Amino acid sequence: MPTTTIDSLATVFQQLFDDDELIVTRETTAADVVGWDSLTHVTLMLTIEKQFAIRFKSSQVASLKNVGELADLIDSLRK
Amino acid sequence: MTELAATLLAYVRTHHPRSLAGVEEARQLDPDRFDGYAELLLGWAGRVLGDRAIPRTVDAFVEFTMDVNMAQGRYEASGSYEHKSYRECYDAVYADKAAMDDYLWGVYLTNFLWAHHLELSAFFETRFVAKLPERAALIELAPGHGGWGLVAMHRRPDARLEGFDISPSSIEIARALAAAAGLAGRARYELRDALDLTSHPAGSVDACICNFLVEHLEQPDRLFEVIEHVLAPGGKAFVSGALTAAQVDHIYEFRRESELVLLAERHSMRVLEALSVHPQRTLPRARFLPRSMSLIVQKRTREHA
């Protein structure tokens, strides 16, 4: 079964936040993940850029509400 | 806590929870000064933008901070600033009015929402503005949103200021804020390249402000040539620059504080005071420490004085 963007993001999150049991869904927000602050958000976005070979604009990622919006953005940039 | 500071924090908590820790860190550094700037700068913005003031400025601030941190991450990976010329920056940023407006409103609140810039703001007010001579005539080079010079004019009702900026967005916002602050009679702005003031009368101003222009220039010496030209002997300038601190339109990569000091000294100025500040937290395993440095310099009256 192909890996979904959410599945790939879950792996990124687990590695970045050093928590193999971290569960990531479309509804996951910063409030659900300990340590997900503005600076960690930057590290997360740069890691995702490298992983998916895309480039974000700051305006796209500054106000993402949840992982679902992030996954949708990644999918749109990969088309 | 003042009403505008409380409203600001509530908006960040609700709409930008990831940014709350950084903003609270700034307030904890100096609550009275933080609240004072909230009342002043958000008060002025409120008269320009109405009910949209807090969403407009805070959303822009969050996006600008994200932009700066993303640029820093790319700088860490590559080892150099992304753009090397004014032309590249113009095409990437300056040509788009909407982007420039966002940029300027984004920078506007960094004077107190970034903890390390709150330190610089205090240094500016206590060590430079408070010590201006009576009825000082000032020039501000590249005022951007105009906030620094307007704070100076607010604190010094006896002083007057002319600001020169190459950006139409800057002139529009600075003039609007000056009017909102009741300072339009003493703070005037002209659309003009700040590096092209050789026709301005030599030695005609008591003081000069130039914050965070020098790292945007291909030839930083040109800025100090202008400051040297406009300042009267004994006149002072407050000049700030960024060191190993990336931004989409930073061109000149200063790495050591001494570089700014030597620049000033090459142009008939002696450094009276200096302050280099940095954010408390940086990206993980960072090679570069992003710093902002402010110098208070004085134009020499004699070869060694």
Side-chain angles (χ1 to χ4, degrees):
Chain A
M1 179 187 275
T3 305
T4 66
T5 303
I6 292 284
D7 291 337
S8 299
L9 283 174
T11 304
V12 171
F13 272 73
Q14 286 161 1
Q15 288 171 353
L16 182 66
F17 292 100
D18 195 24
D19 182 355
D20 291 340
E21 294 176 14
L22 182 62
I23 295 172
V24 172
T25 69
R26 286 188 62 87
E27 288 71 37
T28 301
T29 70
D32 302 316
V33 183
V34 174
W36 188 358
D37 58 20
S38 57
L39 213 51
T40 317
H41 188 68
V42 172
T43 307
L44 180 62
M45 294 304 115
L46 291 168
T47 305
I48 290 170
E49 282 190 337
K50 197 170 173 184
Q51 170 116 351
F52 290 89
I54 55 177
R55 181 164 169 139
F56 293 122
K57 292 181 186 172
S58 301
S59 56
Q60 293 171 319
V61 298
S63 299
L64 290 171
K65 300 277 188 304
N66 54 39
V67 173
E69 287 190 2
L70 173 58
D72 294 341
L73 175 60
I74 293 168
D75 289 341
S76 72
L77 291 172
R78 293 177 81 193
K79 281 184 185 147
Chain B
M1 186 183 295
T2 63
E3 186 177 338
L4 276 173
T7 307
L8 164 71
L9 283 168
Y11 184 83
V12 174
R13 188 173 292 115
T14 302
H15 298 278
H16 300 287
R18 291 188 300 263
S19 300
L20 185 61
V23 173
E24 286 181 332
E25 174 193 315
R27 189 168 187 275
Q28 278 160 20
L29 180 73
D30 190 338
D32 289 340
R33 193 172 297 277
F34 180 100
D35 288 3
Y37 277 122
E39 289 302 303
L40 201 61
L41 299 185
L42 287 173
W44 293 343
R47 285 176 223 133
V48 175
L49 299 169
D51 291 341
R52 293 189 306 124
I54 284 182
R56 180 78 175 95
T57 56
V58 176
D59 291 353
F61 162 78
V62 169
E63 188 176 316
F64 175 73
T65 302
M66 181 83 191
D67 201 57
V68 164
N69 285 324
M70 293 284 280
Q72 191 71 15
R74 294 183 179 119
Y75 173 45
E76 285 283 343
S78 70
S80 65
Y81 290 167
E82 183 172 2
H83 295 303
K84 304 287 186 294
S85 71
Y86 174 80
R87 187 77 240 170
E88 289 176 69
C89 294
Y90 183 85
D91 292 340
V93 183
Y94 306 151
D96 182 338
K97 183 182 188 303
M100 271 308 292
D101 287 352
D102 287 343
Y103 179 104
L104 290 169
W105 283 121
V107 177
Y108 183 59
L109 299 186
T110 61
N111 285 22
F112 71 105
L113 293 191
W114 284 356
H116 61 304
H117 276 210
L118 184 59
E119 286 187 77
L120 286 185
S121 296
F123 181 58
F124 174 67
E125 286 206 48
T126 60
R127 305 303 299 168
F128 180 77
V129 176
K131 291 169 171 285
L132 289 169
E134 284 189 19
R135 295 180 297 282
L138 288 91
I139 272 181
E140 186 169 10
L141 303 174
H145 48 71
W148 292 92
L150 291 174
V151 166
M153 292 303 102
H154 177 73
R155 301 293 188 217
R156 292 297 301 266
D158 57 321
R160 65 187 191 279
L161 176 142
E162 282 185 281
F164 301 95
D165 203 296
I166 203 169
S167 160
S169 289
S170 162
I171 300 304
E172 183 182 318
I173 290 174
R175 283 179 179 163
L177 287 169
L183 296 169
R186 290 190 291 118
R188 299 192 302 139
Y189 298 93
E190 183 180 330
L191 183 66
R192 185 172 176 181
D193 186 348
L195 299 184
D196 185 27
L197 289 180
T198 46
S199 59
H200 201 82
S204 60
V205 302
D206 302 303
C208 181
I209 299 169
C210 184
N211 288 322
F212 302 110
L213 170 63
V214 69
E215 63 276 7
H216 297 260
L217 303 177
E218 294 175 26
Q219 299 172 316
D221 276 278
R222 291 189 60 201
L223 171 60
F224 283 87
E225 286 169 11
V226 170
I227 297 174
E228 184 181 6
H229 173 74
V230 299
L231 270 183
K236 294 181 186 174
F238 189 93
V239 184
S240 303
L243 293 83
T244 61
Q247 204 169 292
V248 66
D249 57 341
H250 284 183
I251 297 171
Y252 199 92
E253 190 186 337
F254 291 102
R255 291 205 170 190
R256 296 278 185 268
E257 281 76 356
S258 56
E259 292 175 62
L260 284 175
V261 171
L262 290 170
L263 252 184
E265 290 186 343
R266 276 206 295 277
H267 295 279
S268 306
M269 281 168 254
R270 67 186 182 103
V271 175
L272 302 180
E273 298 185 57
L275 179 63
S276 179
V277 294
H278 61 86
Q280 286 278 17
R281 296 175 305 139
T282 58
L283 293 170
R285 295 177 296 280
R287 289 185 289 162
F288 300 109
L289 180 65
R291 287 153 289 152
S292 299
M293 181 176 185
S294 295
L295 301 178
I296 299 174
V297 299
Q298 184 172 42
K299 184 170 176 179
R300 297 178 186 281
T301 56
R302 293 184 288 274
E303 186 182 352
H304 298 292

